[in-house]
């Protein structure tokens, strides 16, 4: 399965439209990890599974979502309530509780791909306001195979960021 993950566009609707137009039909599912600052009934959300971030005030957003796609159980959350700025412990505990093998989160505006306790953790970074050591706006595409995960991060020009790629055995 192929999943596109984006987060923290902070009102930049155009980049999400561009991603939808580019990837529709090329990925199995698109996820948005919050802080879009768009209305919860925006037509763009017809193409994404989305959650509320700490800057999303529309009460119609869900705080978290659990999606099953074939063998993958995907836990989607923004991450601010899990204190992800201080590590992945709380996020990991919740992902384990719901039986997830993939946990997607936003909030820290930094690209992350880690594998621990049989869970793939991915933060796609921020497509609009990157932070941390790699100052490149980014989103991620996850290839989930039977025995492995491949995570590639892309910039706003939809080019792979060569230093931001990760492979994990399941």
């Amino acid at each position: 399965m192929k999943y596109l993950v984006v987060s923290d566009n902070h009102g930049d609707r155009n980049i999400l439209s561009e991603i939808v137009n580019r990837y529709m039909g090329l990925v199995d599912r698109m996820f948005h990890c919050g802080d879009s600052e768009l209305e919860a009934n925006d037509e763009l959300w017809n193409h994404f599974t989305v959650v509320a971030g700490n800057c999303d005030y529309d009460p119609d957003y869900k705080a978290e979502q659990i999606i099953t796609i074939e063998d993958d159980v995907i836990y989607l959350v923004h991450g601010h309530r899990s204190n992800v700025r201080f590590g992945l412990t709380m996020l990991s505990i919740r992902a384990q509780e719901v039986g997830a093998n993939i946990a997607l989160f936003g909030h820290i505006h930094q690209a992350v791909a880690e594998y621990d306790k049989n869970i793939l953790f991915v933060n796609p970074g921020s497509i609009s306001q990157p932070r941390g050591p790699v100052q490149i706006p980014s989103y991620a595409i996850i290839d989930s195979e039977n025995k492995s995960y491949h995570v590639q991060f892309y910039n706003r020009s939809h080019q792979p960021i060569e230093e931001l790629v990760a492979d994990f055995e399941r």
Side-chain angles (χ1 to χ4, degrees):
M1 302 301 293
K2 189 179 289 277
Y3 310 121
L4 186 145
V5 189
V6 65
S7 191
D8 295 278
N9 59 293
H10 288 283
D12 184 351
R13 188 179 187 283
N14 291 339
I15 190 63
L16 297 183
S17 294
E18 193 176 304
I19 286 171
V20 167
N21 290 334
R22 181 176 186 87
Y23 287 101
M24 190 52 112
L26 299 178
V27 295
D28 296 297
R29 192 73 161 254
M30 289 189 253
F31 295 92
H32 192 292
C33 301
D35 275 0
S36 70
E37 298 185 38
L38 303 178
E39 298 296 319
N41 64 356
D42 193 296
E43 65 183 20
L44 272 174
W45 301 141
N46 294 331
H47 306 287
F48 287 91
T49 302
V50 62
V51 292
N54 58 298
C55 294
D56 294 318
Y57 302 110
D58 190 319
D60 291 334
Y61 280 114
K62 295 179 180 178
E64 65 179 12
Q65 293 212 46
I66 301 151
I67 306 295
T68 302
I69 303 172
E70 292 187 4
D71 293 334
D72 292 324
V73 177
I74 301 166
Y75 176 58
L76 176 67
V77 69
H78 185 60
H80 59 296
R81 291 186 180 99
S82 301
N83 292 320
V84 293
R85 285 203 173 129
F86 302 104
L88 301 181
T89 302
M90 288 179 65
L91 179 65
S92 179
I93 290 167
R94 181 68 179 137
Q96 290 173 61
E97 286 174 354
V98 302
N101 61 300
I102 299 175
L104 307 176
F105 67 104
H107 191 55
I108 60 173
H109 294 222
Q110 295 181 37
V112 172
E114 294 184 16
Y115 188 70
D116 185 49
K117 295 182 174 69
N118 297 316
I119 302 169
L120 174 67
F121 296 90
V122 174
N123 184 318
S126 171
I127 194 63
S128 298
Q129 301 173 5
R131 296 183 189 142
V134 180
Q135 292 288 312
I136 302 170
S138 62
Y139 62 93
I141 294 181
I142 301 168
D143 285 301
S144 175
E145 305 293 334
N146 285 341
K147 296 185 179 188
S148 66
Y149 297 110
H150 176 77
V151 183
Q152 176 66 65
F153 294 86
Y154 293 83
N155 63 27
R156 285 178 68 100
S157 299
H158 313 291
Q159 299 302 310
I161 304 169
E162 294 192 21
E163 64 269 31
L164 294 181
V165 62
D167 291 291
F168 304 99
E169 295 299 317
R170 290 172 81 159

